[in-house]
Amino acid sequence: MKDIFDKLKDAGRDALGTFVEFDPESPAQAPAAPRGPDRGVPVDVTLAAVPVSAPAAAPVSAGAAAPDPEFVQQLQAAVQASGKQAYGQFRTLFGALSAVPDDTQRASLALAAAQASHGVTAQQVAEAIDDRLRILAGEREAFQKAVGAESDAAIGGTQKKIDDARAAIARKAEEIRELQARQAELEAGLAEARASIDANSARFAASYAVVEAELAAERARIAPLLTPTSGTR
């Protein structure tokens, strides 16, 4: 599974390398890979040719990806670590009976031959398959943990920055709205002050004209009665 984890981490680096600095030595980004099969364990025939009913897979999103050949090989290698050899013995005999066209008959003949040559029963073959499914489920669990760790390391930091930026934008937007409201209040106050000043100025000018006209009229009235002064020509 180490190659699968490495591929997962490479994908994370490619996607977020611009924003996130990856430390290959960081424990958070290097989850321990499950142990692979020992070299001394006999290798089973590939599972790809066996019509085994597997547990229902988790739902996938629309446009599901195609199987990755490297992942398939890694998972097949992992299940070969099973210590129950009945399945491998059955598969060898099943493969040797390829001339039999009916799969059910072929499986029956292979089981009969396995029991005769190795003392293997159908129940033992089923238990061996179940053991491999258990190993396969363990690989999925390990992969999901690796995905979680990689998400925390590669995606979590960037997502936090995005969330912080979004929060900062919201704060700035609220600040801008408050400033705009304050600006509107000040502009309204300014307009009111200008209107008041203009009104007072207009009233003063009108009042000034009245008084000035009164004084000018009085001045004109007594002007003929004035005695010329010595400085008057």
Side-chain angles (χ1 to χ4, degrees):
M1 285 293 284
K2 183 177 185 302
D3 293 341
I4 293 180
F5 295 151
D6 291 342
K7 192 168 185 178
L8 172 66
K9 291 170 64 178
D10 290 341
R13 292 191 184 97
D14 292 341
L16 292 173
T18 305
F19 308 100
V20 181
E21 295 183 0
F22 291 89
D23 182 3
E25 302 300 326
S26 174
Q29 300 181 30
R35 292 183 58 188
D38 296 333
R39 295 183 180 273
V41 177
V43 177
D44 288 344
V45 180
T46 177
L47 287 173
V50 184
V52 178
S53 297
V60 294
S61 59
D68 188 314
E70 293 183 16
F71 285 180
V72 171
Q73 292 176 3
Q74 292 286 329
L75 293 171
Q76 288 175 341
V79 300
Q80 290 168 6
S82 172
K84 297 181 180 294
Q85 300 305 310
Y87 172 72
Q89 294 163 349
F90 163 77
R91 278 300 305 149
T92 300
L93 294 169
F94 187 84
L97 294 169
S98 59
V100 179
D102 183 74
D103 278 350
T104 301
Q105 183 182 9
R106 182 180 175 188
S108 178
L109 292 173
L111 285 172
Q115 187 168 10
S117 59
H118 303 289
V120 171
T121 65
Q123 181 63 33
Q124 289 174 324
V125 174
E127 290 174 355
I129 294 174
D130 290 342
D131 188 55
R132 284 158 176 76
L133 289 172
R134 178 188 59 78
I135 294 173
L136 188 63
E139 295 296 304
R140 179 177 60 185
E141 182 179 357
F143 180 80
Q144 289 172 343
K145 289 181 179 179
V147 168
E150 192 65 20
S151 296
D152 291 342
I155 299 175
T158 301
Q159 184 62 51
K160 185 179 184 303
K161 292 179 181 179
I162 293 173
D163 293 341
D164 290 346
R166 185 179 292 113
I169 291 172
R171 290 193 299 270
K172 293 296 183 182
E174 180 61 27
E175 183 179 350
I176 290 172
R177 285 192 293 269
E178 292 176 356
L179 289 172
Q180 289 174 334
R182 178 59 178 162
Q183 177 185 354
E185 292 176 359
L186 291 173
E187 288 177 346
L190 177 62
E192 183 178 351
R194 283 176 174 171
S196 178
I197 292 172
D198 291 343
N200 287 332
S201 296
R203 287 195 297 272
F204 178 84
S207 301
Y208 183 91
V210 169
V211 174
E212 183 184 35
E214 291 177 351
L215 292 175
E218 293 293 333
R219 183 71 173 78
R221 183 178 299 115
I222 67 172
L225 305 176
L226 293 176
T227 301
T229 61
S230 56
T232 303
R233 292 290 189 268

